[in-house]
Amino acid sequence: MHVWRSLAEIPDLGPAVVTLGNFDGVHRGHQAVLRAMVADARERGHVALAMTFDPHPKAVHDPAHQPELITGLDDRLERLAATGLDGVLVVRYTLDFARQTPEEFVRDYLVDGMRASCVVVGRDTRFGRGNAGDVETMRALGRELSFEVDIIDDACAVSESGRRWSSTWVRELLDAGDLPGANDVLGCAHRLRGTVIHGDALGREIGFPTANLDHSAGMIPRHGVYAAWLTVLDGRGNPRAQALAGERMAAAVSLGMNYTVGGTDLRVEAFCIDRDGLDLYDAEVALDLVEWRRPMLDFGSLDALVAALGEDVDWCREVLTVRT
């Protein structure tokens, strides 16, 4: 899948079926719509393209109330690619961009820039300055500028339970620590990304050496202990870590404050189960969270903490063995 950061980068690929959205999480509703759109493009002999935004528009218009993004941009693009799209335009969302009229946006971006023969939108789509454009605006512009408008079938956006697939639903489940539920809506494991940094070495001293993450992407769910898979994405100059790139390793992950030793800041730490002598410093890694075990607790002493960690590791090993 091609990724472009400006209209100038897009080559002439011929007529395109185009859609647009934030696609946070690229959940199963997004996937169903995008795969149907790709199939339609293939039948037409056209390419299938999407436009997405970075940062999220609410981060620009209302930064005090911006949503915590479920996925970082890299993971969003990876998941969009899995739907079969031919290309994605990542638009740098700014106030200047938002000042375009609906007609300017459609003409400059969708028609002239992406060569839309068909634009796929949801019934609640809004676009252009002040969100003045809606589905009827898009239809009128389609007649004027010679492109079709395809309104997304609501059946694509509704889960088996009858609830509409949504990023809001995913966030609710993550806040509750319901990883099986969140992962079901996402259609894959919820992922955190980060760089392994040096910590205070307490884990090594008590027999549970952890990879401490400088968290960079992925919504932090309910604090606590999780069974997860750790994968090295890029060794970043560490040859020992690079040798493990792509290998999935079972891990017990701690998200939150370590109350037992007086911790007051958020820590993201992963203990790789049954793996000795790992050196992951400076590597970019992913944590794919599988299941929540317990909240962060004050065990009162290091001995009690060590005993609890041993039980956590046994539980995580068992969960991940079943989920292999």
Side-chain angles (χ1 to χ4, degrees):
M1 183 185 78
H2 301 284
V3 177
W4 306 293
R5 307 285 173 156
S6 72
L7 290 176
E9 296 177 11
I10 304 177
D12 185 356
L13 299 173
V17 178
V18 178
T19 192
L20 61 152
N22 293 305
F23 303 114
D24 188 25
V26 195
H27 54 66
R28 288 171 62 187
H30 293 140
Q31 294 168 32
V33 169
L34 291 169
R35 287 184 177 128
M37 175 189 135
V38 168
D40 177 50
R42 298 288 180 267
E43 288 182 8
R44 296 168 180 259
H46 296 177
V47 293
L49 306 180
M51 177 191 299
T52 192
F53 308 99
D54 182 49
H56 193 287
K58 284 188 178 179
V60 174
H61 292 292
D62 190 10
H65 300 96
Q66 60 182 293
E68 185 175 5
L69 295 183
I70 298 165
T71 52
L73 181 59
D74 288 340
D75 289 311
R76 192 192 328 170
L77 292 172
E78 185 176 302
R79 295 177 189 183
L80 288 172
T83 67
L85 286 168
D86 296 296
V88 172
L89 172 64
V90 180
V91 173
R92 182 70 180 170
Y93 195 91
T94 65
L95 290 176
D96 281 343
F97 174 81
R99 290 188 185 103
Q100 298 175 99
T101 66
E103 181 175 357
E104 288 171 336
F105 167 70
V106 171
R107 185 186 300 274
D108 293 347
Y109 278 81
L110 303 185
V111 177
D112 293 343
M114 303 178 79
R115 295 199 60 189
S117 61
C118 177
V119 176
V120 180
V121 292
R123 295 188 183 279
D124 57 355
T125 293
R126 309 292 299 198
F127 59 97
R129 183 187 304 155
N131 279 335
D134 59 13
V135 167
E136 293 309 315
T137 310
M138 188 69 78
R139 283 178 167 147
L141 289 169
R143 290 189 292 271
E144 177 185 342
L145 300 173
S146 301
F147 62 84
E148 296 177 41
V149 177
D150 185 6
I151 308 302
I152 294 169
D153 182 357
D154 282 346
C156 290
V158 178
S159 72
E160 296 90 340
S161 70
R163 179 169 179 175
R164 187 180 180 87
W165 302 112
S166 69
S167 301
T168 297
W169 189 7
V170 176
R171 292 189 188 96
E172 289 174 3
L173 293 165
L174 291 176
D175 281 336
D178 183 355
L179 265 295
N183 293 347
D184 181 58
V185 178
L186 288 169
C188 62
H190 177 55
R191 170 168 285 194
L192 306 180
R193 282 190 186 226
T195 301
V196 178
I197 59 175
H198 289 272
D200 52 22
L202 174 63
R204 190 172 304 279
E205 292 175 12
I206 62 177
F208 293 94
T210 58
N212 291 264
L213 266 66
D214 181 7
H215 169 254
S216 60
M219 177 180 164
I220 296 290
R222 179 184 181 184
H223 291 185
V225 173
Y226 289 84
W229 297 103
L230 182 149
T231 306
V232 174
L233 302 175
D234 189 332
R236 298 279 178 83
N238 179 341
R240 296 185 66 184
Q242 188 61 41
L244 298 169
E247 181 179 345
R248 198 170 69 156
M249 294 179 277
V253 171
S254 172
L255 300 177
M257 278 70 79
N258 191 337
Y259 299 115
T260 303
V261 295
T264 57
D265 57 338
L266 172 68
R267 295 289 188 94
V268 180
E269 302 180 72
F271 171 73
C272 290
I273 299 171
D274 301 325
R275 301 295 293 256
D276 296 324
L278 291 177
D279 174 6
L280 302 179
Y281 291 118
D282 300 324
E284 182 187 18
V285 304
L287 297 176
D288 293 318
L289 304 182
V290 174
E291 194 163 339
W292 183 85
R293 168 164 166 76
R294 63 166 176 84
M296 301 299 288
L297 301 169
D298 184 348
F299 291 97
S301 70
L302 280 180
D303 287 343
L305 173 62
V306 169
L309 293 177
E311 293 176 0
D312 291 338
V313 168
D314 289 343
W315 181 87
C316 291
R317 182 189 292 110
E318 181 176 347
V319 167
L320 294 170
T321 298
V322 172
R323 302 293 179 86
T324 299

